Amino acid sequence: LQKVHVLPQTVLYIADAETFSGHEECHEQKKARKRNSKETAIALEKLLPKRCQVLGLVTPGIVVTPMGSSSNQPQEIEEGEAGFALLFPKIDGVKIHTFHFSKDLKNRVFDESKFAEAGLKNNPDLRVVLLFGYNSWKSGATRFLHQIVNPLNEKSIILAGGQVESFTSLTSENNNAQPGDACGVVGLAFSGPQIQSATVLLDQDVADERTAEAAMQRLKAANIPEHNTIGFMFACVGRGYRHYKTKRNMEADAFRKFFPNVPLFGFFGHGEIGCDRIVTGNFVLRECNDIKDDLLHGYTTVMTLIHLGSTK
């Protein structure tokens, strides 16, 4: 953060559970104590501007491109402590905002007027929605996720994300909700006419280098501009080296082969959100049918490109 010269307006940080709940040395008692995830989150937020929107997630594993050159090799870190933070400054023509929907125990029907309040409905410039479900093991969590995803399943919007272990931060000018014991969905919405995006789904049949690279070729064929673009990878904890028979970093390596200058970030989680979908510059889906896409998956990987427009 000492090298940041442009103040961020929105921050997405993701760390594995060990990073947030590991041990640290307590000098007063001369022994290690278990870290409190809330303490870690507060310490991170203190490094950022007060009016900055912050979304923090805890996941079982991390996908990250190390700092430095954008051509650095992305890493799938399935074990050990790891994390990253994406700091988005003010970008002309682009609006990024956080949102949070938690399950109401008293009402089985989700009030869809909340979508409009969050800028997810009646917003002609909405292009990409990154969705992250939390406490997915709770009763009713899957049904609630369907209530959120189904109304947003429109051909003109890219939806991508997955199920995380928990979220640790969600701060903005209009949303001071804090993590609780309920299940819910948090996320980032990207709006702006210059945004272009595409996703591909790697299903269970993608199990070797050849089929992984074929999926990346589909993503490459979307012709999304690669400058000022971020890649996201949302994979099941059952994939990685276990799925590829002990060969590590398979999907991240395949991505880098076709997108050597696009940094890749993401996580290993407990369920994936996404499909094969392309939204081009003139906002026309290239391949489209009238059937609603199946967006919720298991044992898959969702690869996403988000282009934030040309830089001046």
Side-chain angles (χ1 to χ4, degrees):
L1 289 174
Q2 293 177 350
K3 296 182 179 180
V4 174
H5 299 290
V6 179
L7 290 178
Q9 287 199 335
T10 307
V11 173
L12 169 66
Y13 74 81
I14 303 179
D16 73 293
E18 259 321 284
T19 300
F20 264 82
S21 59
H23 290 81
E24 64 182 8
E25 187 175 321
C26 181
H27 296 291
E28 291 81 7
Q29 299 177 359
K30 301 293 183 182
K31 62 180 181 180
R33 70 176 179 90
K34 200 169 182 65
R35 281 198 298 262
N36 181 300
S37 61
K38 189 172 183 179
E39 292 175 349
T40 306
I42 290 172
L44 280 170
E45 290 173 23
K46 285 182 178 178
L47 299 174
L48 301 165
K50 289 184 178 180
R51 295 174 71 86
C52 184
Q53 297 184 107
V54 183
L55 175 57
L57 306 173
V58 174
T59 62
I62 298 294
V63 180
V64 62
T65 300
M67 286 180 62
S69 170
S70 61
S71 61
N72 281 351
Q73 182 177 355
Q75 301 290 327
E76 298 176 19
I77 305 174
E78 299 179 63
E79 298 165 351
E81 295 189 17
F84 66 85
L86 297 178
L87 283 65
F88 296 96
K90 181 179 181 181
I91 304 171
D92 290 340
V94 174
K95 181 179 180 181
I96 306 172
H97 64 269
T98 60
F99 60 86
H100 177 209
F101 304 124
S102 59
K103 186 175 183 295
D104 185 350
L105 299 176
K106 300 177 182 178
N107 193 346
R108 287 177 56 86
V109 179
F110 180 75
D111 181 2
E112 292 194 13
S113 68
K114 294 180 180 179
F115 284 131
E117 295 173 12
L120 301 178
K121 281 290 184 183
N122 305 320
N123 178 3
D125 287 333
L126 182 64
R127 298 294 187 262
V128 183
V129 181
L130 299 183
L131 295 160
F132 310 109
Y134 63 90
N135 288 347
S136 59
W137 51 272
K138 291 235 175 220
S139 175
T142 301
R143 182 177 181 274
F144 182 74
L145 181 59
H146 275 284
Q147 289 182 319
I148 302 300
V149 169
N150 290 347
L152 298 176
N153 190 1
E154 299 178 7
K155 298 292 184 180
S156 60
I157 301 171
I158 293 293
L159 294 177
Q163 298 273 18
V164 302
E165 290 197 355
S166 62
F167 79 97
T168 55
S169 298
L170 184 64
T171 59
S172 71
E173 293 178 39
N174 302 316
N175 192 342
N176 294 315
Q178 294 300 315
D181 294 328
C183 61
V185 175
V186 294
L188 288 176
F190 295 76
S191 301
Q194 68 198 39
I195 296 174
Q196 298 185 46
S197 185
T199 57
V200 293
L201 177 72
L202 285 68
D203 61 22
Q204 295 182 51
D205 293 336
V206 177
D208 56 32
E209 187 174 10
R210 178 184 61 84
T211 50
E213 290 185 358
M216 300 309 150
Q217 284 179 316
R218 295 204 312 275
L219 192 59
K220 186 80 172 181
N223 289 322
I224 301 297
E226 294 175 25
H227 63 283
N228 203 23
T229 295
I230 306 170
F232 287 98
M233 172 178 163
F234 305 115
C236 178
V237 290
R239 290 184 73 87
Y241 71 87
R242 299 173 186 85
H243 181 69
Y244 289 101
K245 297 180 172 57
T246 73
K247 187 172 177 60
R248 294 179 180 270
N249 226 63
M250 176 75 81
E251 293 174 346
D253 285 346
F255 179 88
R256 184 171 185 258
K257 180 176 180 178
F258 290 90
F259 303 96
N261 296 307
V262 177
L264 181 67
F265 301 93
F267 58 76
F268 290 89
H270 303 293
E272 301 76 58
I273 302 169
C275 64
D276 278 27
R277 186 176 288 181
I278 301 167
V279 176
T280 61
N282 60 2
F283 218 50
V284 175
L285 194 72
R286 297 193 174 176
E287 297 179 9
C288 179
N289 56 50
D290 294 329
I291 301 172
K292 286 281 189 180
D293 290 311
D294 184 10
L295 293 173
L296 303 183
H297 312 278
Y299 300 103
T300 64
T301 297
V302 175
M303 287 285 189
T304 305
L305 291 175
I306 301 178
H307 171 64
L308 298 174
S310 60
T311 55
K312 295 181 179 180

